[in-house]
Amino acid sequence: MNATTLAAATNENLAQISNVLIYSAMAVYLLGFFALMAEWLFGSRSKVARTAAALTADRAAEAAEPDGAKAPAVTVRSQGGTATLERPKAAAKTAAKTGAPKVVTRAAAGSRDVPDGPGAAAGDEQGDLYGRIAISMIFLGFLVEAGGVLTRALSVERAPWGNMYEFNITFSTVAVGVFLGLLALKKNVRWIGLPLITTVLLDLGLAVTVLYTDSDQLVPALHSYWLWIHVSTAIFCGAAFYVGAVSTAAYLFKDSYEAKLQRGGTPGRFATSVMERLPASASLDKFTYRMNAAIFPLWTFTIIAGAIWAGDAWGRYWGWDPKEVWSFITWVAYACYLHARATAGWKGRKAAYLALIAFGCWLFNYYGVNIFVSGKHSYAGV
């Protein structure tokens, strides 16, 4: 057996090991998914009504305040927030006597004085145990999947981002890594675990069935160190944008829930069980904004790096290729969201809808352009 044949056999073995590790990661993630479901189910036994209690207290304070005692609310823009001249609701009677108003600076989305929910376990010890088991399973699955990505790279002796299969397994690995990193930073994101792992399982299922491609060498245009720079940042941006999109969707649901309670409505039992355990809408809105604002400069760099690479590979920096066009559309959409988030009259739900539209643009750029649209970036391998 000559050296070339031996190397080919070694690479084939590594590719098979990679496949086994990816399937193993799916199995571990599935165990984590069941543990997360148990956390939510056991947490539903807890009687949690912090949001309802807070908003009910607000309505009671407003009702107790004399009609003529309310201080006029004057709204002015200040440092991206809204300065509201108002009387403290909790001390309405005292303020009515003294006539001393209170100045509160706050964002429009945080206008309700609502505490964050206790999380999926909702204080239930058994639910919390299952939640801890789930995080352990997710961490183990992350390590196994990362091993699958690494052995895939070793099998072809290049960056493992040459086709959609490799991009998918790397994207899901990084998405889980972002989630675990936020947990390590003590962020209140454990509730994201269930939608995240559900998406990861769907993503990996699609990768190993529809998108799977045998390990092979790159097309000539991709032989560049820019592959490591451009594609790695694109994957990381996508993972962070995904987490931001989940938070945006949760914000819209929680904001509707809080508004219904504030109007004196009674949400259904299922909605109450889920919404009461999530962070307050103001917290979700702030988290979404920080995620997208932090990643936006990196997405800008991704587009610039791609243009530089295109100049090296094809002799032009910009050619209105479908991938280039949709990357720019995504950039514009997120820029509109960030601008709207800091603009009076667009904060809250309107800005959140823009954030979801922006992520939809990124998602189409990820799947739609690679699979259904032909162009210079047609490396899906399917």
Side-chain angles (χ1 to χ4, degrees):
M1 182 180 292
N2 57 39
T4 303
T5 306
L6 180 61
T10 301
N11 290 347
E12 182 64 26
N13 289 335
L14 286 171
Q16 291 298 323
I17 291 172
S18 173
N19 293 343
V20 171
L21 289 173
I22 295 300
Y23 278 105
S24 300
M26 292 177 68
V28 177
Y29 284 143
L30 187 60
L31 293 176
F33 171 81
F34 288 135
L36 287 168
M37 288 292 293
E39 179 187 22
W40 278 92
L41 289 173
F42 281 106
S44 66
R45 303 182 306 181
S46 298
K47 301 298 182 182
V48 180
R50 301 184 181 192
T51 303
L55 294 176
T56 301
D58 285 348
R59 290 199 306 272
E62 289 175 353
E65 187 175 358
D67 292 339
K70 294 181 180 180
V74 180
T75 303
V76 294
R77 293 180 59 187
S78 173
Q79 301 297 323
T82 301
T84 304
L85 187 64
E86 65 180 4
R87 211 177 291 279
K89 294 179 181 178
K93 292 183 178 180
T94 303
K97 295 178 181 178
T98 61
K102 174 185 175 181
V103 177
V104 179
T105 302
R106 64 195 182 196
S111 58
R112 304 184 190 99
D113 186 14
V114 176
D116 289 340
D124 182 88
E125 291 185 6
Q126 195 168 4
D128 184 65
L129 174 62
Y130 278 111
R132 293 177 183 275
I133 292 173
I135 297 303
S136 299
M137 290 293 100
I138 293 171
F139 181 70
L140 177 59
F142 168 76
L143 294 178
V144 175
E145 188 181 10
V149 174
L150 177 61
T151 49
R152 176 78 176 197
L154 294 174
S155 73
V156 289
E157 300 177 354
R158 59 167 173 78
W161 311 316
N163 50 62
M164 279 294 290
Y165 168 74
E166 294 174 355
F167 198 93
N168 262 40
I169 62 175
T170 306
F171 169 76
S172 57
T173 304
V174 175
V176 174
V178 169
F179 169 67
L180 293 173
L182 291 171
L183 284 178
L185 293 173
K186 308 297 184 183
K187 302 298 182 182
N188 182 17
V189 296
R190 200 162 101 177
W191 61 271
I192 294 178
L194 186 56
L196 170 70
I197 295 304
T198 301
T199 306
V200 166
L201 286 171
L202 292 173
D203 181 71
L204 290 177
L206 183 65
V208 300
T209 54
V210 178
L211 301 177
Y212 181 77
T213 305
D214 291 330
S215 58
D216 201 354
Q217 293 304 312
L218 296 170
V219 297
L222 294 182
H223 283 287
S224 172
Y225 61 88
W226 282 105
L227 176 68
W228 294 91
I229 301 172
H230 171 66
V231 181
S232 64
T233 53
I235 292 173
F236 181 76
C237 288
F241 283 150
Y242 166 78
V243 173
V246 173
S247 179
T248 302
Y251 160 75
L252 289 171
F253 284 114
K254 187 62 182 279
D255 182 67
S256 295
Y257 174 78
E258 291 176 1
K260 187 171 186 177
L261 286 174
Q262 198 168 35
R263 294 192 303 267
T266 305
R269 292 181 60 186
F270 177 77
T272 300
S273 176
V274 174
M275 293 296 111
E276 286 288 349
R277 288 181 273 173
L278 295 181
S281 63
S283 298
L284 291 169
D285 180 58
K286 184 184 297 183
F287 174 77
T288 299
Y289 174 72
R290 288 178 175 176
M291 284 293 296
N292 291 331
I295 296 302
F296 183 73
L298 190 60
W299 182 249
T300 305
F301 170 78
T302 300
I303 296 176
I304 295 173
I308 296 173
W309 186 10
D312 290 343
W314 301 317
R316 92 292 187 276
Y317 294 102
W318 193 267
W320 298 104
D321 182 75
K323 176 67 71 172
E324 297 169 351
V325 170
W326 277 95
S327 295
F328 179 67
I329 290 173
T330 302
W331 184 90
V332 171
Y334 274 107
C336 288
Y337 160 73
L338 294 175
H339 177 71
R341 179 60 172 69
T343 302
W346 276 87
K347 296 177 183 178
R349 298 185 68 86
K350 290 182 181 179
Y353 289 131
L354 286 177
L356 289 183
I357 291 172
F359 181 71
C361 293
W362 183 90
L363 205 59
F364 180 78
N365 190 33
Y366 175 30
Y367 283 111
V369 173
N370 285 0
I371 297 175
F372 304 112
V373 182
S374 60
K376 287 184 175 293
H377 290 81
S378 299
Y379 309 126
V382 296

